[in-house]
Amino acid sequence: DGQVTVDEILTMVNIALGNAPVSDCEAGDGNGDHQITVDEILTAVNYALSGCPVRPSPARRAAGAVESSTKALLVIPNLLSMLLGHFPGAGASMTLAPTPGTGSAAFTFPPVDFTCLNGSGGTLSCSQDIFGPPTYAVTLNSCQVAGAAGTMLTFNGTLTAVGQAGDICGTIPTDLTVSIPSLTMQANSATGSATTTFTGFSAGLSLADSGSSGSCMFDTVDLSPSGSISVATTGPPATSTTLTFNSGSDVSISVSQYGAQCVPQIYDLELNGVVTLIADGQSFQATYTMYDLSDDTTTTSGQDTVDISGTVDSPCFGGAVDISTVTSLSLNGGACPIAGDVEVTTDATGNTDLVSYTASGGVTIDLGDDNSIDQTFLTCLDSKLFVCPVI
């Protein structure tokens, strides 16, 4: 409630003495080390005597939101490899021979097997009424491709893509509606694993080509997504993040460099619209405006580096904030970034705080960006980074 009372101080003392669990007063654990120490009790006493800090800071909540939303958004470009990498003429060698279907004007192209770059594969089929759009079905059976930072991605499930009237099987339509009835992506790395599940996910896609994308044919993709993406990581601690796209959301992807089988390696992803993020059981709804992720998976350090800029407006922040990286986030396939600094500026007040991700997977927060550490959390998955409202 923004105040410290005598009974709360006594609770902290009991925790420090080992007579009560830290969960009885998590707010008293200022540095996030799951203990109550003498200096934290003295801080609480000072707040009881003089009042709590008057300026709420969104930086703590931003630290959790940046990490969890980035994790979910960076999954989307991998879908391009599942589409562009195996459509005819997009880096896969396929010859499709139509055979008559059930109707006089309907044709079905028999399933064609393909092999994924790092193991196993899947099938591609297409059906079409001669007067209607083609419908492609892609089935993935332990299809493995190399992801960022030494991560191996394994896809299982199905996705369907429907073109426009006038398109024909055997080519890639420039406007598609993609739906995913069932698809999982397992990401395994030396630092852990993550499983992504697409639930009720669909998107309208518009593809454009500037002529620089080579055999992958398209370097600009606009999506109007709906449905949810859930990412569950192994511990310790284990965590789960679900990102749900509200109506009217838009995701634009501009690819500068593809790898083998059309896996995006260098690209920009921009999100506009309202999304709902659920992380560590806490729900966070926000409007993202020109929220851009610039991802480069080709760095010689072996890290996946991400730069972020854009505006996020949420009651959880007390309004709109501008988020921008000062130092690129470094991802190594684990649950948390291992480096990077993010400035969080509150639009209403102009106050700027600095969020830093550490090599151990922790987070530090510098309120006022004055080169002093005000809050420390041992992991980016700390539950206190996902609680609203933020103080």
Side-chain angles (χ1 to χ4, degrees):
D1 61 2
Q3 301 178 68
V4 176
T5 59
V6 172
D7 61 316
E8 290 168 337
I9 294 173
L10 291 176
T11 298
M12 291 178 64
V13 171
N14 278 322
I15 295 170
L17 293 173
N19 298 326
V22 179
S23 59
D24 282 0
C25 188
E26 289 188 351
D29 178 18
N31 66 0
D33 66 356
H34 305 289
Q35 301 179 68
I36 297 295
T37 57
V38 172
D39 61 318
E40 289 168 336
I41 294 173
L42 291 175
T43 297
V45 171
N46 285 329
Y47 288 166
L49 294 173
S50 304
C52 291
V54 295
R55 179 169 74 84
S57 169
R60 188 177 71 181
R61 187 60 178 89
V66 164
E67 179 274 331
S68 51
S69 61
T70 298
K71 186 187 305 177
L73 289 170
L74 291 184
V75 172
I76 296 175
N78 289 306
L79 289 178
L80 298 182
S81 66
M82 296 301 99
L83 284 170
L84 303 182
H86 305 299
F87 267 100
S93 178
M94 298 182 181
T95 302
L96 301 179
T99 56
T102 55
S104 59
F107 291 85
T108 299
F109 288 71
V112 175
D113 295 331
F114 58 81
T115 300
C116 294
L117 189 65
N118 293 88
S120 298
T123 60
L124 168 70
S125 63
C126 183
S127 61
Q128 181 177 18
D129 187 294
I130 196 170
F131 299 111
T135 298
Y136 289 95
V138 180
T139 300
L140 304 162
N141 298 311
S142 297
C143 170
Q144 293 187 334
V145 297
T151 301
M152 184 64 66
L153 308 178
T154 303
F155 291 85
N156 281 285
T158 59
L159 57 88
T160 301
V162 180
Q164 304 293 312
D167 296 330
I168 59 173
C169 285
T171 63
I172 303 178
T174 56
D175 292 287
L176 293 160
T177 300
V178 175
S179 60
I180 301 179
S182 173
L183 184 67
T184 62
M185 185 191 81
Q186 181 80 25
N188 291 307
S189 71
T191 54
S193 65
T195 301
T196 300
T197 304
F198 293 84
T199 303
F201 187 88
S202 63
L205 271 70
S206 294
L207 308 174
D209 179 26
S210 67
S212 62
S213 54
S215 62
C216 297
M217 301 180 67
F218 299 102
D219 51 24
T220 303
V221 182
D222 289 317
L223 299 87
S224 51
S226 63
S228 299
I229 300 173
S230 297
V231 183
T233 60
T234 56
T239 185
S240 177
T241 298
T242 298
L243 184 69
T244 300
F245 296 94
N246 292 32
S247 176
S249 296
D250 177 79
V251 174
S252 298
I253 303 172
S254 178
V255 182
S256 301
Q257 179 175 314
Y258 283 102
Q261 289 194 333
C262 299
V263 177
Q265 293 182 322
I266 303 175
Y267 60 88
D268 284 345
L269 182 153
E270 183 178 289
L271 168 63
N272 288 279
V274 180
V275 303
T276 300
L277 183 69
I278 300 176
D280 196 48
Q282 301 290 328
S283 181
F284 165 79
Q285 187 174 83
T287 300
Y288 287 72
T289 304
M290 298 182 68
Y291 191 80
D292 184 81
L293 304 179
S294 295
D295 192 16
D296 184 351
T297 68
T298 65
T299 55
T300 55
S301 65
Q303 307 298 333
D304 180 6
T305 60
V306 181
D307 289 295
I308 301 174
S309 65
T311 301
V312 184
D313 192 343
S314 172
C316 201
F317 292 156
V321 300
D322 293 325
I323 294 175
S324 62
T325 46
V326 179
T327 306
S328 301
L329 299 187
S330 292
L331 314 177
N332 68 345
C336 295
I338 58 171
D341 302 289
V342 179
E343 281 189 338
V344 182
T345 302
T346 305
D347 285 4
T349 63
N351 293 318
T352 297
D353 303 320
L354 186 70
V355 175
S356 299
Y357 297 91
T358 66
S360 63
V363 177
T364 63
I365 296 176
D366 175 1
L367 300 177
D369 195 7
D370 58 2
N371 296 313
S372 65
I373 303 301
D374 298 286
Q375 296 175 337
T376 300
F377 301 90
L378 299 181
T379 170
C380 79
L381 308 177
D382 193 299
S383 60
K384 289 192 287 294
L385 296 174
F386 301 96
V387 176
C388 298
V390 178
I391 58 173

